Amino acid sequence: MTTVDVGTGLSALLDDDAALAAAVAGAELPALLPALAHLTGDLTLVADELRPPLRLRPDMVEPQGGMSEAAQELGRRRALAALAAFRDGGAVPAPEPDDDTLRRLMRFVAGDVADDYLPLMSHELGLPLDAGAPGWTVEQVAPGRTVEVVVIGAGMSGLVTAHRLRQAGVEVTVLERNADVGGVWLENGYPGARLDTPNFAYSFSFDQRPDWPHQFSARDDVWGYFRDVADRFDLRGCVRFGHEVVEAVFDDATRRWTVRARRAGGPDVVLEADAVVSATGQLNKPNLPDIPGRERFAGPSWHTARWRDDVDLTGRRVAVIGTGASAYQVVPSIVDRVDALSVFQRTPPWMVPTPTYHDPTPDEQLRLLRELPYYHRWLRFVQFWTSVEGRRPFMEVDPGWEHPISVSPANEALRQALVAHLERRFGDRPDLLAKVVPGYAPGSKRMMRDNGVWPAALKREHVDLVTDAITEITPDGVRTADGVLHEADVLIYATGFRASDFLAPITVRGRDGADLHERWDGDARAHLGVHVPGFPNLFCVFGPNTGLVINGSILLFSEIAVHHILGCLRLLLESGAATVEVRRDVHDAFNERVDAGNALMAWGVATVNSWYRNAKGRASQVWPFTVLDYWRMVREPRPSDFHIERAPTPQPEERQ
Ligand code: N01
């Protein structure tokens, strides 16, 4: 049995020696070799002498997984020989690998990892196909019962929630305030918006795209992917667009939720459901800073996530406030157009060298990815695996390390490598260099991908990097603490998001009318990022403390959280119960553990500004542990963590 088709495209490629040689020459061997072993059954392709070390240097991922030149040469020869033998044998794929063989292929990439990594790896490889599917339906576990769930948001997390719930036969309605799916990828249409994590791994395990046009794809491609997911899995039918949820209230008597959504130009819509899933995201409420005079600015002004295409920047004097990830992409994209550009930097970010950041996937690679079965799957797996730990070890605090900036010897090595990189980039401009070297530990806030376009933009004659504090905005521009007015016709806020305002501005009332935002008091917490005590059957995806900032894939985290939620619903169905609610002691213990974990990471001990922490200084957005920890802790719910209650028995009205 094999799950692959060898199409005419592969036959044509196999018959074209020159194209094949070019494709193999440019291929990612750590992915190509297991893919070919998978296809042909030839395990000499994953022999020990070819195994990529996949070491992480402090400042970058090594090309070809760090394979030596000799190993690369041998790998290419074996790959070409295997392809020729495959062609000459009639291009018949080997049977699907058995479990042992699949493990061997995965360990070629991952090394001798503990066995309990294997289900996670299999999930990410997507083999067996759709390994993350629920594997049960409502009808199977509770015949005759129905479950209705309202999902808030049709971004990345909402889409996977809707898909998995529907696979299990749950009745789903998604309420989405925008006119289309995609969430932040719909909203962030600013010039230059693109991924800053490797692209293949930024896709769902159950819908892997073979031919991403870039390693770090542009916004339209990423948004297009999520729109395609909605179409491919027929999800649009259960989404009500233009419905902004304003209130969700739990009814103690019926143990059901009532959800109210506002529509432009129509009456509110009110839905009832057994459960509510919040898939409202983290980085989507624009932060417009409280700078005096903001409303007095005479020209057009907007936030990057509300980009105005109707304003032509050509020949204008533009001010950009902020130097985070959004500014990093906007500034180089508009610099050629504008007459003058003032960039206001409060805290310089660290820059990680990424020479291929804007590079397209070469044509011969695209052809190989499209035609050679399994190659894209293994490429995604390699990217995923490289990111599982990612740079995390460089951000771990060594309590014995004493240094005014860095938090451990590894962090110091990274800091020095990144300082050296900045010195190379800005060595010809000491005035700029003095402004761009951060004075905090790498990893304390988000690091940027650098392929040279940001430094090049800052060095342009008509660009001014302003580091004096902003004191006010006037009708004519931005005034700084030195008294200088930086005149501008257009003002762009690249000032980020109110990441800690989970579920805002929705009114959420749980048991006994408790108000979620009052309960949180600006310091959102949830058990596993999913459950809040006192709010039965309210589940969060991408909730508090589940943000990944240095390693892993947020899509995987959402898939895991959704699997957990489905597990909770199954618990209800199997026990004939109505609600699941986390125990307060379990919730509190988890949060203590998370806080202790964050205190051992660079961002937990840093005092620098970042969206990782809330106004109370707690890192309420960030997951401090490994990806495997999340998989182990979250994927399967532990019944003992919850109060599971039956629906109240209807009482005869006259009963005394
Ligand atoms: O926002 P940010 P962002 N006066 O919060 C400054 C994701 N993302 O939109 O550093 C002056 O990082 C603020 O200064 P400081 C990604 O996870 C991904 O850029 O706080 N300045 C900072 O420079 C990212 O991390 C992509 O001192 C003020 C900037 O504004 C997250 O979204 C692309 C200020 C805000 O930076 C947020 O990124 C874009 C004030 N009053 C975003 N207030 C991808 O590539 C704020 N600032 C996928």
Side-chain angles (χ1 to χ4, degrees), residues 55 87 206 309 354 398 457 492 495 498 540 629 647 651:
R55 274 183 314 261
R87 177 193 58 206
F206 57 87
D309 286 315
T354 312
D398 174 348
I492 296 170
T495 42
R498 292 184 286 119
C540 302
D629 287 330
Q651 303 292 312

Side-chain angles (χ1 to χ4, degrees), residues 595-606:
D595 288 347
N598 271 324
L600 291 173
M601 300 304 295
W603 56 77
V605 293

Side-chain angles (χ1 to χ4, degrees), residues 282-283 446 497 499-500 548-549 609-613 621-622:
Q282 280 193 10
L283 294 162
R446 184 94 175 170
F497 302 92
S500 57
L548 286 167
V549 288
N609 304 318
S610 86
W611 61 260
Y612 298 178
R613 291 137 70 93
Q621 278 69 265
V622 189

